[in-house]
PDB file of all heavy atoms in Angstrom:
ATOM      1  N   ASP K  46      28.137 -45.649 -16.976  1.00  0.00           N
ATOM      2  CA  ASP K  46      28.806 -44.640 -17.832  1.00  0.00           C
ATOM      3  C   ASP K  46      27.936 -44.299 -19.023  1.00  0.00           C
ATOM      4  O   ASP K  46      27.820 -43.063 -19.450  1.00  0.00           O
ATOM      5  CB  ASP K  46      30.196 -45.074 -18.209  1.00  0.00           C
ATOM      6  CG  ASP K  46      30.916 -44.058 -19.144  1.00  0.00           C
ATOM      7  OD1 ASP K  46      31.011 -42.935 -18.723  1.00  0.00           O
ATOM      8  OD2 ASP K  46      31.314 -44.476 -20.229  1.00  0.00           O
ATOM      9  N   GLU K  47      27.370 -45.293 -19.624  1.00  0.00           N
ATOM     10  CA  GLU K  47      26.524 -45.050 -20.783  1.00  0.00           C
ATOM     11  C   GLU K  47      25.301 -44.109 -20.543  1.00  0.00           C
ATOM     12  O   GLU K  47      25.053 -43.201 -21.204  1.00  0.00           O
ATOM     13  CB  GLU K  47      26.100 -46.362 -21.404  1.00  0.00           C
ATOM     14  CG  GLU K  47      25.223 -46.288 -22.639  1.00  0.00           C
ATOM     15  CD  GLU K  47      24.863 -47.606 -23.218  1.00  0.00           C
ATOM     16  OE1 GLU K  47      25.581 -48.640 -22.876  1.00  0.00           O
ATOM     17  OE2 GLU K  47      23.853 -47.649 -23.984  1.00  0.00           O
ATOM     18  N   ILE K  48      24.654 -44.438 -19.286  1.00  0.00           N
ATOM     19  CA  ILE K  48      23.476 -43.615 -18.880  1.00  0.00           C
ATOM     20  C   ILE K  48      23.996 -42.154 -18.670  1.00  0.00           C
ATOM     21  O   ILE K  48      23.347 -41.190 -19.040  1.00  0.00           O
ATOM     22  CB  ILE K  48      22.854 -44.226 -17.699  1.00  0.00           C
ATOM     23  CG1 ILE K  48      22.175 -45.563 -18.030  1.00  0.00           C
ATOM     24  CG2 ILE K  48      21.818 -43.322 -17.099  1.00  0.00           C
ATOM     25  CD1 ILE K  48      21.729 -46.388 -16.823  1.00  0.00           C
ATOM     26  N   GLN K  49      25.065 -41.986 -17.815  1.00  0.00           N
ATOM     27  CA  GLN K  49      25.499 -40.677 -17.470  1.00  0.00           C
ATOM     28  C   GLN K  49      25.973 -39.853 -18.668  1.00  0.00           C
ATOM     29  O   GLN K  49      25.683 -38.655 -18.747  1.00  0.00           O
ATOM     30  CB  GLN K  49      26.626 -40.787 -16.422  1.00  0.00           C
ATOM     31  CG  GLN K  49      26.158 -41.327 -15.070  1.00  0.00           C
ATOM     32  CD  GLN K  49      27.284 -41.468 -14.053  1.00  0.00           C
ATOM     33  OE1 GLN K  49      28.385 -41.613 -14.355  1.00  0.00           O
ATOM     34  NE2 GLN K  49      26.889 -41.578 -12.780  1.00  0.00           N
ATOM     35  N   THR K  50      26.615 -40.517 -19.588  1.00  0.00           N
ATOM     36  CA  THR K  50      27.032 -39.871 -20.734  1.00  0.00           C
ATOM     37  C   THR K  50      25.845 -39.393 -21.593  1.00  0.00           C
ATOM     38  O   THR K  50      25.816 -38.198 -22.106  1.00  0.00           O
ATOM     39  CB  THR K  50      27.815 -40.767 -21.692  1.00  0.00           C
ATOM     40  OG1 THR K  50      29.017 -41.217 -20.968  1.00  0.00           O
ATOM     41  CG2 THR K  50      28.346 -40.072 -22.946  1.00  0.00           C
ATOM     42  N   HIS K  51      24.813 -40.273 -21.754  1.00  0.00           N
ATOM     43  CA  HIS K  51      23.561 -39.883 -22.429  1.00  0.00           C
ATOM     44  C   HIS K  51      22.877 -38.750 -21.760  1.00  0.00           C
ATOM     45  O   HIS K  51      22.394 -37.792 -22.467  1.00  0.00           O
ATOM     46  CB  HIS K  51      22.608 -41.108 -22.485  1.00  0.00           C
ATOM     47  CG  HIS K  51      21.310 -40.819 -23.198  1.00  0.00           C
ATOM     48  ND1 HIS K  51      21.213 -40.585 -24.523  1.00  0.00           N
ATOM     49  CD2 HIS K  51      20.051 -40.679 -22.675  1.00  0.00           C
ATOM     50  CE1 HIS K  51      19.935 -40.325 -24.817  1.00  0.00           C
ATOM     51  NE2 HIS K  51      19.286 -40.380 -23.670  1.00  0.00           N
ATOM     52  N   LEU K  52      22.854 -38.765 -20.466  1.00  0.00           N
ATOM     53  CA  LEU K  52      22.200 -37.643 -19.688  1.00  0.00           C
ATOM     54  C   LEU K  52      23.081 -36.331 -19.589  1.00  0.00           C
ATOM     55  O   LEU K  52      22.682 -35.356 -18.994  1.00  0.00           O
ATOM     56  CB  LEU K  52      21.909 -38.181 -18.261  1.00  0.00           C
ATOM     57  CG  LEU K  52      20.816 -39.283 -18.175  1.00  0.00           C
ATOM     58  CD1 LEU K  52      20.625 -39.704 -16.775  1.00  0.00           C
ATOM     59  CD2 LEU K  52      19.473 -38.794 -18.795  1.00  0.00           C
ATOM     60  N   GLN K  53      24.280 -36.437 -20.092  1.00  0.00           N
ATOM     61  CA  GLN K  53      25.289 -35.373 -20.045  1.00  0.00           C
ATOM     62  C   GLN K  53      25.645 -35.002 -18.535  1.00  0.00           C
ATOM     63  O   GLN K  53      25.792 -33.772 -18.255  1.00  0.00           O
ATOM     64  CB  GLN K  53      24.697 -34.148 -20.836  1.00  0.00           C
ATOM     65  CG  GLN K  53      24.623 -34.466 -22.332  1.00  0.00           C
ATOM     66  CD  GLN K  53      24.213 -33.155 -23.130  1.00  0.00           C
ATOM     67  OE1 GLN K  53      23.506 -32.341 -22.660  1.00  0.00           O
ATOM     68  NE2 GLN K  53      24.647 -33.134 -24.401  1.00  0.00           N
ATOM     69  N   VAL K  54      25.709 -35.980 -17.712  1.00  0.00           N
ATOM     70  CA  VAL K  54      26.164 -35.783 -16.326  1.00  0.00           C
ATOM     71  C   VAL K  54      27.669 -35.496 -16.334  1.00  0.00           C
ATOM     72  O   VAL K  54      28.378 -36.385 -16.746  1.00  0.00           O
ATOM     73  CB  VAL K  54      25.744 -36.926 -15.404  1.00  0.00           C
ATOM     74  CG1 VAL K  54      26.282 -36.718 -14.009  1.00  0.00           C
ATOM     75  CG2 VAL K  54      24.290 -37.099 -15.449  1.00  0.00           C
ATOM     76  N   ASN K  55      28.140 -34.343 -15.905  1.00  0.00           N
ATOM     77  CA  ASN K  55      29.472 -34.046 -15.882  1.00  0.00           C
ATOM     78  C   ASN K  55      30.048 -33.500 -14.549  1.00  0.00           C
ATOM     79  O   ASN K  55      31.110 -32.850 -14.506  1.00  0.00           O
ATOM     80  CB  ASN K  55      29.867 -33.081 -17.105  1.00  0.00           C
ATOM     81  CG  ASN K  55      29.005 -31.844 -16.967  1.00  0.00           C
ATOM     82  OD1 ASN K  55      28.509 -31.448 -15.911  1.00  0.00           O
ATOM     83  ND2 ASN K  55      28.923 -31.133 -18.126  1.00  0.00           N
ATOM     84  N   LYS K  56      29.268 -33.705 -13.463  1.00  0.00           N
ATOM     85  CA  LYS K  56      29.795 -33.347 -12.200  1.00  0.00           C
ATOM     86  C   LYS K  56      29.037 -34.219 -11.137  1.00  0.00           C
ATOM     87  O   LYS K  56      28.154 -35.007 -11.501  1.00  0.00           O
ATOM     88  CB  LYS K  56      29.471 -31.928 -11.898  1.00  0.00           C
ATOM     89  CG  LYS K  56      27.994 -31.486 -11.882  1.00  0.00           C
ATOM     90  CD  LYS K  56      27.775 -30.056 -11.506  1.00  0.00           C
ATOM     91  CE  LYS K  56      26.274 -29.681 -11.449  1.00  0.00           C
ATOM     92  NZ  LYS K  56      26.024 -28.344 -11.106  1.00  0.00           N
ATOM     93  N   GLY K  57      29.514 -34.106  -9.881  1.00  0.00           N
ATOM     94  CA  GLY K  57      28.826 -34.904  -8.740  1.00  0.00           C
ATOM     95  C   GLY K  57      29.615 -36.083  -8.389  1.00  0.00           C
ATOM     96  O   GLY K  57      30.444 -36.589  -9.154  1.00  0.00           O
ATOM     97  N   ASN K  58      29.355 -36.567  -7.233  1.00  0.00           N
ATOM     98  CA  ASN K  58      30.088 -37.696  -6.641  1.00  0.00           C
ATOM     99  C   ASN K  58      30.016 -38.987  -7.503  1.00  0.00           C
ATOM    100  O   ASN K  58      30.985 -39.635  -7.775  1.00  0.00           O
ATOM    101  CB  ASN K  58      29.573 -37.955  -5.208  1.00  0.00           C
ATOM    102  CG  ASN K  58      30.194 -39.168  -4.570  1.00  0.00           C
ATOM    103  OD1 ASN K  58      31.379 -39.276  -4.389  1.00  0.00           O
ATOM    104  ND2 ASN K  58      29.378 -40.170  -4.390  1.00  0.00           N
ATOM    105  N   SER K  59      28.794 -39.249  -7.844  1.00  0.00           N
ATOM    106  CA  SER K  59      28.644 -40.537  -8.613  1.00  0.00           C
ATOM    107  C   SER K  59      29.316 -40.495  -9.931  1.00  0.00           C
ATOM    108  O   SER K  59      29.921 -41.526 -10.394  1.00  0.00           O
ATOM    109  CB  SER K  59      27.136 -40.871  -8.734  1.00  0.00           C
ATOM    110  OG  SER K  59      26.998 -42.094  -9.464  1.00  0.00           O
ATOM    111  N   ARG K  60      29.284 -39.404 -10.656  1.00  0.00           N
ATOM    112  CA  ARG K  60      30.030 -39.308 -11.931  1.00  0.00           C
ATOM    113  C   ARG K  60      31.549 -39.513 -11.716  1.00  0.00           C
ATOM    114  O   ARG K  60      32.150 -40.203 -12.440  1.00  0.00           O
ATOM    115  CB  ARG K  60      29.681 -37.945 -12.662  1.00  0.00           C
ATOM    116  CG  ARG K  60      30.309 -37.833 -13.977  1.00  0.00           C
ATOM    117  CD  ARG K  60      29.887 -39.012 -14.825  1.00  0.00           C
ATOM    118  NE  ARG K  60      30.458 -38.839 -16.234  1.00  0.00           N
ATOM    119  CZ  ARG K  60      30.578 -40.002 -17.018  1.00  0.00           C
ATOM    120  NH1 ARG K  60      30.172 -41.148 -16.619  1.00  0.00           N
ATOM    121  NH2 ARG K  60      31.029 -39.790 -18.249  1.00  0.00           N
ATOM    122  N   ALA K  61      32.041 -38.801 -10.757  1.00  0.00           N
ATOM    123  CA  ALA K  61      33.454 -38.922 -10.424  1.00  0.00           C
ATOM    124  C   ALA K  61      33.789 -40.433 -10.027  1.00  0.00           C
ATOM    125  O   ALA K  61      34.822 -40.976 -10.547  1.00  0.00           O
ATOM    126  CB  ALA K  61      33.887 -37.950  -9.389  1.00  0.00           C
ATOM    127  N   GLN K  62      32.943 -41.026  -9.259  1.00  0.00           N
ATOM    128  CA  GLN K  62      33.207 -42.417  -8.936  1.00  0.00           C
ATOM    129  C   GLN K  62      33.192 -43.279 -10.101  1.00  0.00           C
ATOM    130  O   GLN K  62      34.028 -44.136 -10.228  1.00  0.00           O
ATOM    131  CB  GLN K  62      32.112 -42.952  -7.959  1.00  0.00           C
ATOM    132  CG  GLN K  62      32.159 -42.344  -6.527  1.00  0.00           C
ATOM    133  CD  GLN K  62      33.144 -43.129  -5.723  1.00  0.00           C
ATOM    134  OE1 GLN K  62      34.151 -43.528  -6.225  1.00  0.00           O
ATOM    135  NE2 GLN K  62      32.904 -43.199  -4.416  1.00  0.00           N
ATOM    136  N   CYS K  63      32.214 -43.150 -10.994  1.00  0.00           N
ATOM    137  CA  CYS K  63      32.090 -43.989 -12.182  1.00  0.00           C
ATOM    138  C   CYS K  63      33.261 -43.841 -13.075  1.00  0.00           C
ATOM    139  O   CYS K  63      33.883 -44.772 -13.504  1.00  0.00           O
ATOM    140  CB  CYS K  63      30.782 -43.655 -12.940  1.00  0.00           C
ATOM    141  SG  CYS K  63      30.533 -44.722 -14.289  1.00  0.00           S
ATOM    142  N   LEU K  64      33.690 -42.591 -13.356  1.00  0.00           N
ATOM    143  CA  LEU K  64      34.914 -42.320 -14.169  1.00  0.00           C
ATOM    144  C   LEU K  64      36.115 -42.891 -13.622  1.00  0.00           C
ATOM    145  O   LEU K  64      36.936 -43.527 -14.258  1.00  0.00           O
ATOM    146  CB  LEU K  64      35.050 -40.793 -14.395  1.00  0.00           C
ATOM    147  CG  LEU K  64      34.047 -40.084 -15.337  1.00  0.00           C
ATOM    148  CD1 LEU K  64      34.120 -38.523 -15.129  1.00  0.00           C
ATOM    149  CD2 LEU K  64      34.276 -40.531 -16.723  1.00  0.00           C
ATOM    150  N   ALA K  65      36.352 -42.731 -12.333  1.00  0.00           N
ATOM    151  CA  ALA K  65      37.574 -43.191 -11.687  1.00  0.00           C
ATOM    152  C   ALA K  65      37.640 -44.709 -11.603  1.00  0.00           C
ATOM    153  O   ALA K  65      38.738 -45.285 -11.955  1.00  0.00           O
ATOM    154  CB  ALA K  65      37.718 -42.611 -10.260  1.00  0.00           C
ATOM    155  N   LYS K  66      36.539 -45.362 -11.246  1.00  0.00           N
ATOM    156  CA  LYS K  66      36.719 -46.818 -11.101  1.00  0.00           C
ATOM    157  C   LYS K  66      36.606 -47.503 -12.512  1.00  0.00           C
ATOM    158  O   LYS K  66      37.359 -48.474 -12.616  1.00  0.00           O
ATOM    159  CB  LYS K  66      35.486 -47.258 -10.210  1.00  0.00           C
ATOM    160  CG  LYS K  66      35.493 -46.834  -8.773  1.00  0.00           C
ATOM    161  CD  LYS K  66      36.768 -47.298  -8.129  1.00  0.00           C
ATOM    162  CE  LYS K  66      36.805 -46.848  -6.603  1.00  0.00           C
ATOM    163  NZ  LYS K  66      36.977 -45.490  -6.317  1.00  0.00           N
ATOM    164  N   LEU K  67      35.825 -46.966 -13.384  1.00  0.00           N
ATOM    165  CA  LEU K  67      35.812 -47.579 -14.776  1.00  0.00           C
ATOM    166  C   LEU K  67      37.195 -47.300 -15.399  1.00  0.00           C
ATOM    167  O   LEU K  67      37.729 -48.130 -16.054  1.00  0.00           O
ATOM    168  CB  LEU K  67      34.700 -46.928 -15.550  1.00  0.00           C
ATOM    169  CG  LEU K  67      34.622 -47.459 -17.013  1.00  0.00           C
ATOM    170  CD1 LEU K  67      34.452 -48.963 -17.033  1.00  0.00           C
ATOM    171  CD2 LEU K  67      33.385 -46.848 -17.708  1.00  0.00           C
ATOM    172  N   GLY K  68      37.780 -46.135 -15.129  1.00  0.00           N
ATOM    173  CA  GLY K  68      39.085 -45.842 -15.642  1.00  0.00           C
ATOM    174  C   GLY K  68      40.142 -46.763 -15.155  1.00  0.00           C
ATOM    175  O   GLY K  68      40.983 -47.195 -15.942  1.00  0.00           O
ATOM    176  N   SER K  69      40.099 -47.104 -13.951  1.00  0.00           N
ATOM    177  CA  SER K  69      40.989 -48.062 -13.359  1.00  0.00           C
ATOM    178  C   SER K  69      40.815 -49.443 -14.093  1.00  0.00           C
ATOM    179  O   SER K  69      41.958 -50.114 -14.291  1.00  0.00           O
ATOM    180  CB  SER K  69      40.778 -48.212 -11.826  1.00  0.00           C
ATOM    181  OG  SER K  69      41.017 -46.980 -11.160  1.00  0.00           O
ATOM    182  N   CYS K  70      39.579 -49.866 -14.269  1.00  0.00           N
ATOM    183  CA  CYS K  70      39.424 -51.120 -14.971  1.00  0.00           C
ATOM    184  C   CYS K  70      39.958 -51.076 -16.380  1.00  0.00           C
ATOM    185  O   CYS K  70      40.608 -52.097 -16.803  1.00  0.00           O
ATOM    186  CB  CYS K  70      37.932 -51.448 -14.992  1.00  0.00           C
ATOM    187  SG  CYS K  70      37.119 -51.772 -13.466  1.00  0.00           S
ATOM    188  N   LEU K  71      39.814 -49.941 -17.059  1.00  0.00           N
ATOM    189  CA  LEU K  71      40.303 -49.867 -18.416  1.00  0.00           C
ATOM    190  C   LEU K  71      41.878 -49.929 -18.485  1.00  0.00           C
ATOM    191  O   LEU K  71      42.465 -50.530 -19.371  1.00  0.00           O
ATOM    192  CB  LEU K  71      39.803 -48.592 -19.130  1.00  0.00           C
ATOM    193  CG  LEU K  71      38.307 -48.492 -19.372  1.00  0.00           C
ATOM    194  CD1 LEU K  71      37.859 -47.170 -19.853  1.00  0.00           C
ATOM    195  CD2 LEU K  71      37.907 -49.614 -20.391  1.00  0.00           C
ATOM    196  N   VAL K  72      42.479 -49.214 -17.465  1.00  0.00           N
ATOM    197  CA  VAL K  72      43.972 -49.307 -17.446  1.00  0.00           C
ATOM    198  C   VAL K  72      44.390 -50.693 -17.211  1.00  0.00           C
ATOM    199  O   VAL K  72      45.449 -51.129 -17.794  1.00  0.00           O
ATOM    200  CB  VAL K  72      44.470 -48.306 -16.308  1.00  0.00           C
ATOM    201  CG1 VAL K  72      46.008 -48.562 -16.124  1.00  0.00           C
ATOM    202  CG2 VAL K  72      44.191 -46.865 -16.650  1.00  0.00           C
ATOM    203  N   ARG K  73      43.754 -51.477 -16.394  1.00  0.00           N
ATOM    204  CA  ARG K  73      44.146 -52.824 -16.163  1.00  0.00           C
ATOM    205  C   ARG K  73      43.907 -53.711 -17.459  1.00  0.00           C
ATOM    206  O   ARG K  73      44.525 -54.728 -17.661  1.00  0.00           O
ATOM    207  CB  ARG K  73      43.360 -53.480 -15.017  1.00  0.00           C
ATOM    208  CG  ARG K  73      43.721 -54.873 -14.648  1.00  0.00           C
ATOM    209  CD  ARG K  73      45.086 -54.959 -14.177  1.00  0.00           C
ATOM    210  NE  ARG K  73      45.478 -56.369 -13.822  1.00  0.00           N
ATOM    211  CZ  ARG K  73      45.527 -56.818 -12.572  1.00  0.00           C
ATOM    212  NH1 ARG K  73      45.156 -56.091 -11.549  1.00  0.00           N
ATOM    213  NH2 ARG K  73      45.794 -58.043 -12.389  1.00  0.00           N
ATOM    214  N   GLY K  74      42.979 -53.212 -18.318  1.00  0.00           N
ATOM    215  CA  GLY K  74      42.682 -53.999 -19.556  1.00  0.00           C
ATOM    216  C   GLY K  74      43.516 -53.477 -20.698  1.00  0.00           C
ATOM    217  O   GLY K  74      44.708 -53.334 -20.591  1.00  0.00           O
ATOM    218  N   ASP K  75      42.853 -53.248 -21.811  1.00  0.00           N
ATOM    219  CA  ASP K  75      43.509 -52.897 -23.057  1.00  0.00           C
ATOM    220  C   ASP K  75      43.231 -51.483 -23.556  1.00  0.00           C
ATOM    221  O   ASP K  75      43.488 -51.180 -24.764  1.00  0.00           O
ATOM    222  CB  ASP K  75      43.127 -53.957 -24.106  1.00  0.00           C
ATOM    223  CG  ASP K  75      41.621 -53.972 -24.360  1.00  0.00           C
ATOM    224  OD1 ASP K  75      40.871 -53.127 -23.645  1.00  0.00           O
ATOM    225  OD2 ASP K  75      41.084 -54.679 -25.225  1.00  0.00           O
ATOM    226  N   ASP K  76      42.815 -50.584 -22.722  1.00  0.00           N
ATOM    227  CA  ASP K  76      42.543 -49.200 -23.063  1.00  0.00           C
ATOM    228  C   ASP K  76      43.115 -48.253 -22.109  1.00  0.00           C
ATOM    229  O   ASP K  76      42.401 -47.488 -21.447  1.00  0.00           O
ATOM    230  CB  ASP K  76      41.023 -49.003 -23.210  1.00  0.00           C
ATOM    231  CG  ASP K  76      40.688 -47.899 -24.203  1.00  0.00           C
ATOM    232  OD1 ASP K  76      41.634 -47.084 -24.505  1.00  0.00           O
ATOM    233  OD2 ASP K  76      39.511 -47.804 -24.605  1.00  0.00           O
ATOM    234  N   LYS K  77      44.430 -48.345 -21.919  1.00  0.00           N
ATOM    235  CA  LYS K  77      45.120 -47.558 -20.849  1.00  0.00           C
ATOM    236  C   LYS K  77      44.981 -46.108 -20.940  1.00  0.00           C
ATOM    237  O   LYS K  77      44.700 -45.419 -19.959  1.00  0.00           O
ATOM    238  CB  LYS K  77      46.560 -48.013 -20.794  1.00  0.00           C
ATOM    239  CG  LYS K  77      46.846 -49.435 -20.370  1.00  0.00           C
ATOM    240  CD  LYS K  77      48.290 -49.767 -20.420  1.00  0.00           C
ATOM    241  CE  LYS K  77      48.582 -51.137 -19.927  1.00  0.00           C
ATOM    242  NZ  LYS K  77      47.802 -52.228 -20.484  1.00  0.00           N
ATOM    243  N   GLU K  78      45.079 -45.551 -22.191  1.00  0.00           N
ATOM    244  CA  GLU K  78      45.128 -44.080 -22.266  1.00  0.00           C
ATOM    245  C   GLU K  78      43.680 -43.584 -21.962  1.00  0.00           C
ATOM    246  O   GLU K  78      43.524 -42.522 -21.248  1.00  0.00           O
ATOM    247  CB  GLU K  78      45.472 -43.642 -23.643  1.00  0.00           C
ATOM    248  CG  GLU K  78      47.012 -43.891 -23.907  1.00  0.00           C
ATOM    249  CD  GLU K  78      47.858 -43.309 -22.861  1.00  0.00           C
ATOM    250  OE1 GLU K  78      47.661 -42.179 -22.467  1.00  0.00           O
ATOM    251  OE2 GLU K  78      48.841 -44.022 -22.360  1.00  0.00           O
ATOM    252  N   ARG K  79      42.621 -44.198 -22.491  1.00  0.00           N
ATOM    253  CA  ARG K  79      41.335 -43.735 -22.148  1.00  0.00           C
ATOM    254  C   ARG K  79      40.999 -43.877 -20.648  1.00  0.00           C
ATOM    255  O   ARG K  79      40.381 -43.045 -20.083  1.00  0.00           O
ATOM    256  CB  ARG K  79      40.366 -44.622 -22.967  1.00  0.00           C
ATOM    257  CG  ARG K  79      38.799 -44.207 -22.721  1.00  0.00           C
ATOM    258  CD  ARG K  79      37.900 -45.022 -23.527  1.00  0.00           C
ATOM    259  NE  ARG K  79      36.586 -44.755 -23.178  1.00  0.00           N
ATOM    260  CZ  ARG K  79      35.634 -45.805 -22.836  1.00  0.00           C
ATOM    261  NH1 ARG K  79      35.973 -47.029 -22.954  1.00  0.00           N
ATOM    262  NH2 ARG K  79      34.447 -45.419 -22.455  1.00  0.00           N
ATOM    263  N   GLY K  80      41.492 -44.906 -20.065  1.00  0.00           N
ATOM    264  CA  GLY K  80      41.261 -45.164 -18.592  1.00  0.00           C
ATOM    265  C   GLY K  80      41.940 -44.075 -17.874  1.00  0.00           C
ATOM    266  O   GLY K  80      41.295 -43.455 -16.851  1.00  0.00           O
ATOM    267  N   LYS K  81      43.183 -43.644 -18.165  1.00  0.00           N
ATOM    268  CA  LYS K  81      43.832 -42.659 -17.308  1.00  0.00           C
ATOM    269  C   LYS K  81      43.151 -41.256 -17.606  1.00  0.00           C
ATOM    270  O   LYS K  81      43.048 -40.517 -16.634  1.00  0.00           O
ATOM    271  CB  LYS K  81      45.284 -42.586 -17.787  1.00  0.00           C
ATOM    272  CG  LYS K  81      46.094 -43.782 -17.225  1.00  0.00           C
ATOM    273  CD  LYS K  81      47.487 -43.884 -17.734  1.00  0.00           C
ATOM    274  CE  LYS K  81      48.431 -42.944 -17.000  1.00  0.00           C
ATOM    275  NZ  LYS K  81      49.865 -43.126 -17.354  1.00  0.00           N
ATOM    276  N   ALA K  82      42.690 -40.981 -18.882  1.00  0.00           N
ATOM    277  CA  ALA K  82      42.009 -39.824 -19.080  1.00  0.00           C
ATOM    278  C   ALA K  82      40.655 -39.667 -18.279  1.00  0.00           C
ATOM    279  O   ALA K  82      40.330 -38.629 -17.780  1.00  0.00           O
ATOM    280  CB  ALA K  82      41.607 -39.673 -20.542  1.00  0.00           C
ATOM    281  N   MET K  83      40.017 -40.850 -18.044  1.00  0.00           N
ATOM    282  CA  MET K  83      38.765 -40.816 -17.245  1.00  0.00           C
ATOM    283  C   MET K  83      39.166 -40.493 -15.822  1.00  0.00           C
ATOM    284  O   MET K  83      38.399 -39.750 -15.154  1.00  0.00           O
ATOM    285  CB  MET K  83      38.083 -42.253 -17.279  1.00  0.00           C
ATOM    286  CG  MET K  83      37.293 -42.533 -18.586  1.00  0.00           C
ATOM    287  SD  MET K  83      36.484 -44.163 -18.405  1.00  0.00           S
ATOM    288  CE  MET K  83      35.197 -43.909 -19.538  1.00  0.00           C
ATOM    289  N   ILE K  84      40.210 -41.119 -15.268  1.00  0.00           N
ATOM    290  CA  ILE K  84      40.611 -40.790 -13.877  1.00  0.00           C
ATOM    291  C   ILE K  84      40.987 -39.290 -13.758  1.00  0.00           C
ATOM    292  O   ILE K  84      40.616 -38.679 -12.761  1.00  0.00           O
ATOM    293  CB  ILE K  84      41.760 -41.684 -13.490  1.00  0.00           C
ATOM    294  CG1 ILE K  84      41.325 -43.121 -13.518  1.00  0.00           C
ATOM    295  CG2 ILE K  84      42.194 -41.306 -12.026  1.00  0.00           C
ATOM    296  CD1 ILE K  84      42.544 -44.105 -13.341  1.00  0.00           C
ATOM    297  N   GLU K  85      41.704 -38.727 -14.716  1.00  0.00           N
ATOM    298  CA  GLU K  85      42.000 -37.289 -14.695  1.00  0.00           C
ATOM    299  C   GLU K  85      40.768 -36.487 -14.682  1.00  0.00           C
ATOM    300  O   GLU K  85      40.718 -35.444 -13.968  1.00  0.00           O
ATOM    301  CB  GLU K  85      42.879 -36.964 -15.881  1.00  0.00           C
ATOM    302  CG  GLU K  85      44.319 -37.496 -15.743  1.00  0.00           C
ATOM    303  CD  GLU K  85      45.171 -37.408 -17.012  1.00  0.00           C
ATOM    304  OE1 GLU K  85      44.517 -37.050 -18.003  1.00  0.00           O
ATOM    305  OE2 GLU K  85      46.291 -37.812 -17.079  1.00  0.00           O
ATOM    306  N   ASP K  86      39.723 -36.895 -15.415  1.00  0.00           N
ATOM    307  CA  ASP K  86      38.435 -36.140 -15.506  1.00  0.00           C
ATOM    308  C   ASP K  86      37.809 -36.201 -14.155  1.00  0.00           C
ATOM    309  O   ASP K  86      37.225 -35.238 -13.581  1.00  0.00           O
ATOM    310  CB  ASP K  86      37.474 -36.720 -16.492  1.00  0.00           C
ATOM    311  CG  ASP K  86      37.872 -36.331 -17.958  1.00  0.00           C
ATOM    312  OD1 ASP K  86      38.632 -35.372 -18.092  1.00  0.00           O
ATOM    313  OD2 ASP K  86      37.347 -36.955 -18.834  1.00  0.00           O
ATOM    314  N   ALA K  87      37.863 -37.389 -13.460  1.00  0.00           N
ATOM    315  CA  ALA K  87      37.362 -37.537 -12.075  1.00  0.00           C
ATOM    316  C   ALA K  87      37.978 -36.630 -11.130  1.00  0.00           C
ATOM    317  O   ALA K  87      37.419 -36.017 -10.265  1.00  0.00           O
ATOM    318  CB  ALA K  87      37.360 -39.050 -11.695  1.00  0.00           C
ATOM    319  N   ILE K  88      39.281 -36.553 -11.137  1.00  0.00           N
ATOM    320  CA  ILE K  88      40.142 -35.676 -10.340  1.00  0.00           C
ATOM    321  C   ILE K  88      39.661 -34.249 -10.477  1.00  0.00           C
ATOM    322  O   ILE K  88      39.549 -33.491  -9.499  1.00  0.00           O
ATOM    323  CB  ILE K  88      41.604 -35.865 -10.543  1.00  0.00           C
ATOM    324  CG1 ILE K  88      42.081 -37.169 -10.011  1.00  0.00           C
ATOM    325  CG2 ILE K  88      42.406 -34.761  -9.837  1.00  0.00           C
ATOM    326  CD1 ILE K  88      43.446 -37.631 -10.330  1.00  0.00           C
ATOM    327  N   ARG K  89      39.493 -33.830 -11.754  1.00  0.00           N
ATOM    328  CA  ARG K  89      38.990 -32.508 -11.973  1.00  0.00           C
ATOM    329  C   ARG K  89      37.705 -32.121 -11.392  1.00  0.00           C
ATOM    330  O   ARG K  89      37.427 -31.067 -10.797  1.00  0.00           O
ATOM    331  CB  ARG K  89      39.075 -32.138 -13.537  1.00  0.00           C
ATOM    332  CG  ARG K  89      40.451 -31.911 -14.082  1.00  0.00           C
ATOM    333  CD  ARG K  89      40.302 -31.322 -15.495  1.00  0.00           C
ATOM    334  NE  ARG K  89      39.991 -32.374 -16.438  1.00  0.00           N
ATOM    335  CZ  ARG K  89      40.879 -33.199 -17.023  1.00  0.00           C
ATOM    336  NH1 ARG K  89      42.132 -32.987 -16.829  1.00  0.00           N
ATOM    337  NH2 ARG K  89      40.379 -34.070 -17.967  1.00  0.00           N
ATOM    338  N   ILE K  90      36.772 -33.154 -11.439  1.00  0.00           N
ATOM    339  CA  ILE K  90      35.442 -32.912 -10.835  1.00  0.00           C
ATOM    340  C   ILE K  90      35.569 -32.787  -9.381  1.00  0.00           C
ATOM    341  O   ILE K  90      34.962 -31.911  -8.747  1.00  0.00           O
ATOM    342  CB  ILE K  90      34.490 -34.180 -11.147  1.00  0.00           C
ATOM    343  CG1 ILE K  90      34.147 -34.205 -12.654  1.00  0.00           C
ATOM    344  CG2 ILE K  90      33.237 -34.153 -10.261  1.00  0.00           C
ATOM    345  CD1 ILE K  90      33.391 -35.385 -13.125  1.00  0.00           C
TER     346      ILE K  90
END
C-alpha cells in the first residue's frame, strides 16, 4: 500500500486487491472506519 500510494496507483486489479485485503485486516484490528473505506474504494475500482 505504501508503494502504490507513493506511485499514485488508483486503479487495476492489484490496487483493488491490496485495498480490499488490507481493509479487511484493519477492520479486524483497531482502525475499522479506515478499513471499510478502503474496501469501498476497492469496490469502486
Side-chain angles (χ1 to χ4, degrees):
D46 178 54
E47 184 178 337
I48 292 171
Q49 291 176 341
T50 301
H51 177 72
L52 295 176
Q53 296 183 330
V54 177
N55 54 20
K56 64 178 183 177
N58 175 63
S59 184
R60 184 55 179 159
Q62 287 277 36
C63 183
L64 285 167
K66 295 302 186 287
L67 180 54
S69 297
C70 292
L71 292 173
V72 172
R73 184 63 182 261
D75 57 0
D76 204 346
K77 293 179 172 52
E78 292 308 312
R79 179 175 172 233
K81 290 172 78 171
M83 281 185 159
I84 299 170
E85 288 168 355
D86 284 344
I88 290 172
R89 281 192 286 271
I90 290 172

